[in-house]
């Protein structure tokens, strides 16, 4: 067992929120077409409120802190927030589009000891990347920021979200990542808006493109093993947790709202009214999330994919039931293995399936 696995097991056993994702603003200098956020400022936390929250998080036992947005660097006090977090001993990861990272900012991030910086990069071609961000010149500015951070000695990860418009470019982005000395990650998931709006789902990959991703050995390693039928479901899987959300991790919005995860918009409390630790320990909503095991899932408990599916309870919640299936994850499991999921079969037999996301496979008859 790795050190991280042991740390997570211990945190779970002790009820410690090991990791917190904190968005300090939803404002952004880009307007990415697939973004799930409302970028208007509806009263984000002040510097003093964030400082008090960071102290509460430290007291609660949080170690890993992701600082994100929106674009966190549009807050003029972003570096002060990072400095406070580092003074309190947090391992800090920053998510930014790097447009505002000049040499001074890169050196300061390195001096503050930021563990890692994650930057979204949609294409190696300016016309494609800039069309997604809706900010002319954004690719060149982002690449310049990445190079400055690498020159300063920072670890950088390029996050390549795959959509219909940039699917053909992931090879180019991966090659560019290697050239920059950055780590590369790929994500084919487009999530609904935080308010449940589904218009952004039109950008999701078509099933044929998703199938190509799952069969690319450069992306998944042993494609034959990755796409193999799921192994039998045993009692350990049935008694297992669907996700770490709400168990060892959670998300806090710029307005102080606490959620199990950034993709799980179930409001569990607000740190402007109660302390974080009180919410973490006593929230009825978090208690409900923590009570769910694999065997409690309404449809997925009987699914052969239960042990291997990437099912997100937050996406299931947005579709209407945190104990239900997520159509996006059903699609991934089906496209990966060729075996229909219990959720897909249930929709087909019901004769009135839930509204599928654009591009998702629909099983009509089997």
């Amino acid at each position: 067992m790795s050190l991280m696995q042991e740390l997570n097991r211990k945190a779970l056993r002790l009820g410690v929120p090991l990791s917190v994702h904190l968005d300090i603003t939803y404002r952004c200098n880009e307007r990415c077409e697939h973004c799930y956020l409302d970028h208007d400022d509806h009263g984000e936390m002040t510097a003093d409120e964030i400082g008090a929250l960071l102290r509460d998080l430290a007291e609660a036992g949080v170690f890993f802190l992701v600082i994100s947005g929106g674009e966190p660097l549009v807050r003029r006090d972003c570096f002060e927030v990072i400095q406070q977090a580092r003074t309190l001993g947090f391992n800090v990861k920053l998510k930014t589009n790097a447009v505002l990272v000049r040499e001074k900012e890169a050196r300061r991030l390195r001096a503050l000891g930021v563990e890692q910086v994650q930057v979204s990069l949609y294409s190696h071609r300016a016309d494609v990347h800039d069309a997604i961000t809706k900010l002319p010149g954004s690719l060149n500015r982002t690449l310049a920021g990445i190079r400055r951070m690498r020159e300063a000695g920072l670890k950088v990860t390029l996050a390549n979200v795959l959509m219909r418009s940039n699917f053909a470019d992931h090879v180019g982005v991966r090659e560019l990542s290697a050239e920059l000395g950055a780590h590369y990650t790929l994500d084919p998931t487009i999530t609904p808006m935080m308010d449940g709006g589904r218009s952004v789902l039109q950008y999701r990959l078509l099933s044929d493109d998703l199938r190509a991703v799952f069969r690319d050995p450069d992306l998944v390693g042993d494609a034959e093993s990755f796409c193999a039928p799921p192994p039998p479901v045993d009692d350990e899987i049935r008694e297992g947790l669907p996700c770490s959300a709400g168990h060892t991790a959670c998300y806090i919005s710029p307005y102080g709202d606490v959620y199990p995860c950034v993709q799980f918009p179930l409001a569990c409390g607000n740190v402007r009214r109660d302390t974080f630790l009180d919410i973490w320990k006593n929230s009825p909503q978090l208690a409900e999330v923590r009570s769910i095991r694999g065997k409690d899932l309404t449809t997925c408990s009987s699914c052969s994919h239960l042990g291997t599916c990437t099912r997100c309870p937050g996406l299931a919640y947005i579709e209407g039931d945190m104990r239900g299936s997520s159509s996006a994850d059903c699609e991934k499991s089906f496209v990966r293995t060729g075996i229909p999921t219990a959720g897909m079969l249930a929709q087909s037999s019901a004769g009135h399936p839930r509204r599928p996301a654009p591009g998702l496979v629909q099983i009509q008859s089997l």
Side-chain angles (χ1 to χ4, degrees):
M1 181 184 299
S2 71
L3 179 60
M4 274 304 305
Q5 288 175 319
E6 177 59 28
L7 191 60
N8 275 289
R9 285 172 65 103
K10 188 172 183 179
L12 180 63
R13 186 171 67 251
L14 297 176
V16 173
L18 184 63
S19 177
V20 166
H21 177 148
L22 171 63
D23 280 348
I24 60 175
T25 184
Y26 283 159
R27 290 175 289 145
C28 191
N29 48 3
E30 295 183 333
R31 287 293 181 270
C32 297
E33 60 186 9
H34 63 291
C35 186
Y36 54 86
L37 297 174
D38 170 4
H39 293 300
D40 292 332
D41 180 1
H42 298 288
E44 59 198 31
M45 287 185 286
T46 66
D48 287 344
E49 288 176 314
I50 292 177
L53 171 61
L54 292 176
R55 292 189 291 273
D56 285 349
L57 296 180
E59 182 182 351
V62 175
F63 180 64
F64 297 104
L65 182 67
V66 177
I67 296 177
S68 184
E71 170 49 51
L73 293 179
V74 303
R75 275 192 70 133
R76 294 186 178 183
D77 59 359
C78 180
F79 285 99
E80 285 68 32
V81 170
I82 295 172
Q83 185 169 8
Q84 285 179 296
R86 291 294 297 131
T87 299
L88 289 165
F90 293 109
N91 176 294
V92 174
K93 175 180 178 180
L94 178 69
K95 291 188 176 184
T96 173
N97 57 36
V99 166
L100 297 176
V101 176
R102 298 173 290 273
E103 289 184 12
K104 176 183 175 182
E105 286 77 17
R107 289 196 302 268
R108 190 168 182 191
L109 289 173
R110 182 67 180 91
L112 287 171
V114 170
E115 174 65 22
Q116 182 185 152
V117 181
Q118 179 176 305
V119 182
S120 293
L121 199 71
Y122 303 108
S123 174
H124 59 298
R125 296 184 293 158
D127 58 328
V128 176
H129 179 92
D130 294 1
I132 291 172
T133 66
K134 302 189 187 305
L135 178 65
S138 58
L139 176 62
N140 289 336
R141 294 174 68 183
T142 290
L143 291 178
I146 292 170
R147 290 190 174 96
R148 290 166 186 145
M149 289 189 289
R150 289 295 299 132
E151 289 167 2
L154 286 158
K155 287 187 268 186
V156 177
T157 293
L158 300 191
N160 186 194
V161 177
L162 279 193
M163 297 171 276
R164 299 185 190 190
S165 59
N166 69 344
F167 171 72
D169 292 358
H170 66 85
V171 173
V173 175
R174 195 163 68 247
E175 292 174 348
L176 181 57
S177 177
E179 175 192 321
L180 294 167
H183 181 61
Y184 173 82
T185 63
L186 178 148
D187 185 1
T189 305
I190 302 296
T191 62
M193 300 285 289
M194 286 287 284
D195 62 5
R198 300 171 62 87
S199 61
V200 294
L201 300 188
Q202 65 183 295
Y203 302 112
R204 277 181 175 170
L205 285 182
L206 295 170
S207 297
D208 285 347
D209 291 338
L210 188 60
R211 186 173 291 108
V213 169
F214 288 160
R215 283 158 179 74
D216 186 338
D218 290 331
L219 299 175
V220 303
D222 184 351
E224 184 175 346
S225 175
F226 185 76
C227 297
V233 176
D234 57 23
D235 288 341
E236 183 177 357
I237 292 173
R238 294 187 185 93
E239 294 292 339
L241 302 176
C243 178
S244 64
H247 293 274
T248 59
C250 70
Y251 165 68
I252 303 174
S253 81
Y255 313 123
D257 295 307
V258 178
Y259 302 95
C261 171
V262 70
Q263 291 183 176
F264 198 157
L266 171 67
C268 301
N270 187 286
V271 297
R272 283 172 157 165
R273 295 191 299 269
D274 301 293
T275 67
F276 172 79
L277 197 54
D278 182 53
I279 295 169
W280 181 258
K281 289 184 174 180
N282 301 313
S283 164
Q285 294 82 9
L286 285 176
E288 181 181 6
V289 170
R290 291 168 185 155
S291 71
I292 301 172
R293 299 293 182 270
K295 65 182 180 182
D296 301 318
L297 303 177
T298 51
T299 301
C300 304
S301 59
S302 63
C303 186
S304 63
H305 294 270
L306 181 62
T308 57
C309 181
T310 58
R311 175 190 174 274
C312 171
L315 294 182
Y317 174 77
I318 293 174
E319 290 193 39
D321 182 4
M322 73 172 78
R323 291 176 173 79
S325 58
S326 155
S327 59
D329 293 305
C330 281
E331 182 205 18
K332 289 179 188 176
S333 290
F334 173 67
V335 169
R336 182 168 53 83
T337 65
I339 300 173
T341 68
M344 300 169 80
L345 295 173
Q347 292 178 27
S348 177
S349 62
H352 47 80
R354 290 183 299 180
R355 179 177 54 180
L360 295 191
V361 176
Q362 295 185 63
I363 301 299
Q364 302 297 334
S365 60
L366 293 165

